Amino acid sequence: MNIATIGTGSIVELFLSAVEEVDGAQCLAVYSRKEETAERLADQFDISAIYTDLAEMLQNEAIDCIYIASPNSLHFEQAYLALQHGKHVIVEKPFTSTSREAEQLIELAKEKQLMLFEAISTIHMPNYKLIRNHLDSLGPIKFIQCNYSQFSSRYEKLMNGETPNVFNPKFSGGALADINIYNMHFVMNLFGVPERVSYMANKHANGIDTSGVAVMKYPNYIAECVGAKDTQSMNFAMIQGEKGYLKVVGGANGCQEVVITNGDREITMNAQLKSNRLYYEVAEFQKIFQMRDFQRCYDLLDYTKSVVGVLESARKDGGISFDAD
């Protein structure tokens, strides 16, 4: 899988570090609007080609797959263009700004028989699979709690009158889309689509959410997902059943360790040998690509579409509008 990247943020560095560890995957090119940022990334990872013209990069026939980690609002446009050029695509979370955009990308990928992935690390982690395998030991589930809070380095700029992309409705930013989505993936990949979802948020004057809580109602239990970019917290995920509870150390983003408590008995598990949390998603995408397993790819896409739908419903319930709407 010969990859080219769009974007130069810290998540791209983490992704490229993961690519270096996965057999059969390599990065051939990086794209940035600014040549100096592209050069910095290319030098860091010994990548031979840089581009400041996206259309030109997409003409490179040696590139199989485009990894997109640009501002959220650009995901749809850039992914659509890459698919039109016959490239497989990996899109950072959140996949798209709206359900309509997700449906159009999925339709195009299937029409052109191309692979399209959402880069959500949580659901591909070995410890997440352990959680799924041990749910029955908790008895009937009653409550799920997730908190992923990380004070943003850009929050102070927002408070000083600037509008960084991550806090800009024009760029589909906000705490729900940027950080709480990990919690929603954590819940939905285990328990499916909720009956209904609501979202209450702390908002900036520009209408964007800086923190908030999404409540997802299932027939027999409730999931509460907290995401904050304006405060710091201990991050965790907790699944509570009638016979015991399961705690995820480090929260949905990293699933660093799993602790199951049944009465007086406590079991601690950790199946993750790699420190880079993106390694497992890259390895999974490489495996699917190498095996040409389109069914697995499209099953994941159907799941991604369901998450985008719930995310959009939560956002609109919270009164948060994007320019993409």
Side-chain angles (χ1 to χ4, degrees):
M1 184 165 62
N2 295 324
I3 301 168
T5 63
I6 297 175
T8 54
S10 58
I11 192 67
V12 182
E13 295 182 18
L14 199 61
F15 178 83
L16 288 173
S17 294
V19 168
E20 288 183 332
E21 293 188 70
V22 174
D23 290 339
Q26 63 178 336
C27 184
L28 300 186
V30 297
Y31 163 81
S32 175
R33 290 175 303 160
K34 299 178 181 179
E35 187 172 349
E36 59 269 25
T37 55
E39 284 181 346
R40 175 188 58 78
L41 197 63
D43 289 345
Q44 182 179 350
F45 291 95
D46 195 24
I47 298 167
S48 58
I50 63 169
Y51 291 90
T52 56
D53 184 319
L54 181 56
E56 183 182 352
M57 185 175 78
L58 294 175
Q59 296 289 342
N60 186 335
E61 294 183 359
I63 296 169
D64 301 313
C65 181
I66 307 297
Y67 167 73
I68 299 172
S70 51
N72 300 341
S73 62
L74 301 180
H75 289 182
F76 170 73
E77 175 188 341
Q78 292 172 341
Y80 199 91
L81 187 62
L83 290 167
Q84 285 183 316
H85 280 78
K87 307 299 186 185
H88 307 284
V89 180
I90 300 170
V91 185
E92 258 305 329
K93 60 79 203 163
F95 187 65
T96 54
S97 302
T98 67
S99 295
R100 181 186 67 255
E101 290 180 346
E103 289 167 0
Q104 290 181 30
L105 287 185
I106 293 169
E107 181 181 349
L108 181 60
K110 290 181 176 180
E111 176 188 319
K112 290 187 167 290
Q113 293 186 303
L114 292 167
M115 292 189 173
L116 174 64
F117 302 100
E118 180 181 17
I120 178 69
S121 54
T122 302
I123 66 172
H124 301 291
M125 291 180 172
N127 282 349
Y128 190 76
K129 295 172 184 177
L130 284 178
I131 294 166
R132 184 185 302 280
N133 292 339
H134 286 83
L135 281 179
D136 289 347
S137 69
L138 306 179
I141 304 301
K142 291 298 180 182
F143 204 68
I144 303 107
Q145 301 177 71
C146 300
N147 190 325
Y148 182 18
S149 299
Q150 183 173 293
F151 187 79
S152 172
S153 60
R154 296 175 179 86
Y155 182 69
E156 290 183 5
K157 291 184 178 180
L158 181 70
M159 294 296 96
N160 290 330
E162 299 180 43
T163 310
N165 292 349
V166 74
F167 291 115
N168 194 337
K170 178 181 178 181
F171 289 101
S172 306
L176 180 67
D178 188 66
I179 203 165
N180 212 349
I181 188 172
Y182 286 102
N183 295 327
M184 296 182 76
H185 267 287
F186 178 90
V187 173
M188 287 186 62
N189 200 266
L190 291 172
F191 302 107
V193 177
E195 290 181 329
R196 61 182 183 272
V197 60
S198 62
Y199 186 56
M200 292 176 287
N202 293 313
K203 298 183 194 176
H204 184 260
N206 69 2
I208 207 67
D209 55 320
T210 59
S211 58
V213 53
V215 178
M216 304 161 72
K217 181 67 178 71
Y218 290 86
N220 299 308
Y221 44 88
I222 299 167
E224 175 192 68
C225 298
V226 173
K229 295 184 72 64
D230 52 12
T231 54
Q232 194 77 16
S233 176
M234 176 183 69
N235 296 325
F236 68 92
M238 190 92 70
I239 302 174
Q240 299 167 220
E242 292 180 358
K243 294 182 180 179
Y245 65 92
L246 182 153
K247 179 181 178 181
V248 182
V249 178
N253 185 32
C255 291
Q256 297 169 8
E257 197 173 66
V258 179
V259 182
I260 299 176
T261 302
N262 295 98
D264 295 331
R265 185 170 176 240
E266 183 175 283
I267 303 172
T268 300
M269 299 177 289
N270 181 13
Q272 289 170 197
L273 304 177
K274 298 289 186 178
S275 59
N276 187 333
R277 62 184 176 84
L278 301 193
Y279 168 83
Y280 300 102
E281 70 176 34
V282 176
E284 177 70 6
F285 298 156
Q286 161 63 14
K287 178 182 176 182
I288 292 171
F289 177 81
Q290 186 175 13
M291 296 180 67
R292 296 296 188 266
D293 190 350
F294 281 90
Q295 186 58 55
R296 171 62 175 155
C297 174
Y298 294 159
D299 286 347
L300 285 170
L301 275 180
D302 288 341
Y303 162 71
T304 282
K305 180 181 173 182
S306 71
V307 175
V308 173
V310 174
L311 189 73
E312 184 177 37
S313 295
R315 175 172 61 81
K316 291 184 175 180
D317 181 78
I320 298 154
S321 299
F322 288 163
D323 286 19
D325 292 332

